[in-house]
Amino acid sequence: MTSPVVVSPDAPDLEEIRKCVHCGICLPQCPTYRVLGEEMDSPRGRIYLMRAAAEGRIGLTETFARHFDLCLGCRACETACPSGVRFGSLLEATRAQLRRHGPPPRRRLLDRFVYAVFPEPGRMGAALGLLRLYRRSGLQRLVRSTRALRLFPRLAAMEGLLGDVPRPVSLPELHPARGRRRGRVGLLTGCVQRHLFPHVNRDTARLLTLAGWDVVVPRAQGCCGALELHAGRIDDFRARARRLVATFADVDWVVTNAAGCGSAMKEYGHWVGEARGLALRTRDVTELLADAPLPLGRLELTVTYHDPCHLAHGQRVRQEPRQLLRRIPGLRLVELAESDFCCGSAGVYNILEPGIARELLELKMTRIAETGATVVATGNPGCLMQIAGGARARGLDVAVVHPVELLARAADAYSG
Ligand code: SF4
Ligand code: SF4
């Protein structure tokens, strides 16, 4: 018997790895396998690599690391797997091992920038302020006309994602319930959501109050740590989880409207014992609104719905957003083929691996165009930006919105 080569904390659980029976049922659902056609870029191949490393048969080499860089962490393989392999936590543990023992990240500078800025609301706000200036000063038009960005594909990917950068909005800390009071919820405003989609947070708070919840929006709240968890930066992730436990100590539920944040928070218990209670009290906004009476007026729209990976596969929330959209009088919901197939956004994957992300986005945009819908609804800021960028690039005339935006618009249209 060989002994494990990797025996540090947070190593992938060998028992979990051994649950894989190599049946291959997950392969057609895996976006990287679909694009690259390589066994080692499939869930089964990656699990084989994890097991070989854990049993000391291979080392954590550059080649090993590359197969895990390429994984989107979309967890479509978990949904497909009849043996119940929890691929997401195996992946996070493998990335944690790579950070501790593996080769240095290939994209060290970009890596440092992403993790220094994205999870820090203050720095993110300052960076977006500069971007606003870049757009409004005409510099963006100039840079695009020179095509110089073609030389820097990752920078070009980041630039292509940029739509309008709204002005910062500060929400009141307390939004009192309307009508019959159900209790008190805390709203996680999210690092990207609060800066790029502040109206989604505003609409979320408003709908929750209409549903009878007092909504608390703590000013000092930090990041949930999702980006860090998915990158294997487990110590940073734990520190952020502990801070949020204190922030949301006195609410019945913590509500998120960003699938990636909700998915990471629901996993707190696996990584941080004292955050288990918070994980159990975390809900996506659509879960809390699903059974609430809401005053909804007519919207004559044809809408399709894209399932964010971390909502459909990570949280198993699929029906609630659809049910809510169907409750809007006049709204016609048309199903999107392969609606839970990744759009290529996957946190910062579209910046780090722009080639594969673009291929996945092309597939998604083709599917969207087939529906004939004029609106795409999806509940994650990364998907919102990625699909809106895809629509701009194709010249496809569709609005890309969070489901709560449609519900809030319908509430505005309600006349009693
Ligand atoms: S998480 Fe997604 S990309 Fe990674 S192996 Fe699973 S299905 Fe493939
Ligand atoms: S479906 Fe599950 S058991 Fe089958 S190969 Fe994929 S991960 Fe392994």
Side-chain angles (χ1 to χ4, degrees), residues 92-341:
E92 286 144 9
T94 302
R95 286 181 170 162
Q97 296 307 299
L98 280 164
R99 291 206 75 78
R100 284 180 210 268
H101 305 280
R106 290 179 311 113
R107 321 153 286 215
R108 209 179 287 182
L109 201 61
L110 190 59
D111 204 66
R112 226 179 266 167
F113 170 78
V114 164
Y115 294 102
V117 173
F118 281 51
E120 297 294 339
R123 290 179 196 160
M124 182 79 174
L128 288 171
L130 290 176
L131 285 175
R132 204 178 299 118
L133 205 64
Y134 166 71
R135 278 177 70 87
R136 294 195 178 156
S137 65
L139 196 58
Q140 182 180 45
R141 234 173 302 128
L142 186 71
V143 168
R144 286 187 176 176
S145 68
T146 65
R147 304 187 168 215
L149 280 174
R150 285 189 175 184
L151 301 172
F152 307 98
R154 293 195 176 108
L155 214 56
M158 210 182 315
E159 211 265 356
L161 285 173
L162 276 181
D164 280 335
V165 183
R167 296 221 156 268
V169 174
S170 171
L171 288 179
E173 280 199 277
L174 178 67
H175 302 245
R178 317 247 190 107
R180 194 175 65 82
R181 188 178 173 280
R182 292 177 163 223
R184 181 179 166 92
V185 300
L187 175 62
L188 183 91
T189 48
C191 303
V192 174
Q193 197 84 289
R194 87 178 67 174
H195 290 297
L196 289 177
F197 304 98
H199 54 284
V200 172
N201 283 335
R202 183 202 59 213
D203 291 345
T204 301
R206 176 160 163 245
L207 289 164
L208 288 165
T209 60
L210 286 175
W213 300 99
D214 283 335
V215 181
V216 188
V217 188
R219 284 259 156 78
Q221 62 179 283
C223 169
C224 67
L227 271 186
E228 283 143 345
L229 172 66
H230 299 146
R233 295 168 165 259
I234 303 294
D235 294 339
D236 294 341
F237 168 70
R238 286 196 170 106
R240 292 197 189 277
R242 289 188 183 110
R243 280 202 286 274
L244 278 197
V245 170
T247 305
F248 290 115
D250 64 345
V251 295
D252 301 316
W253 302 103
V254 181
V255 181
T256 74
N257 50 26
C261 305
S263 172
M265 289 175 70
K266 287 180 179 181
E267 279 177 54
Y268 276 175
H270 179 78
W271 297 102
V272 196
E274 63 267 42
R276 192 163 292 132
L278 182 61
L280 295 172
R281 288 186 291 122
T282 298
R283 291 288 179 275
D284 184 72
V285 57
T286 58
E287 291 179 277
L288 271 200
L289 292 178
D291 65 347
L294 288 171
L296 299 174
R298 209 166 176 79
L299 291 185
E300 299 286 351
L301 290 173
T302 303
V303 179
T304 194
Y305 176 74
H306 160 72
D307 284 284
C309 300
H310 283 98
L311 200 54
H313 306 302
Q315 302 181 55
R316 308 285 159 117
V317 173
R318 291 167 181 266
Q319 290 317 313
E320 292 84 345
R322 289 177 168 81
Q323 282 163 6
L324 280 163
L325 291 173
R326 283 198 190 98
R327 277 167 56 186
I328 299 176
L331 187 149
R332 194 166 76 91
L333 185 65
V334 285
E335 274 300 329
L336 176 66
E338 298 193 286
S339 64
D340 63 355
F341 196 73

Side-chain angles (χ1 to χ4, degrees), residues 33-76:
Y33 183 70
R34 182 99 65 98
V35 171
L36 299 168
E38 293 288 337
E39 175 72 16
M40 290 307 155
D41 292 312
S42 78
R44 183 173 63 187
R46 291 184 175 117
I47 290 171
Y48 173 82
L49 289 173
M50 288 174 195
R51 183 166 180 166
E55 291 176 348
R57 287 181 281 115
I58 59 171
L60 304 182
T61 60
E62 289 271 0
T63 313
F64 179 96
R66 186 71 192 130
H67 294 298
F68 290 93
D69 281 351
L70 288 175
C71 177
L72 293 139
C74 69
R75 295 169 63 179

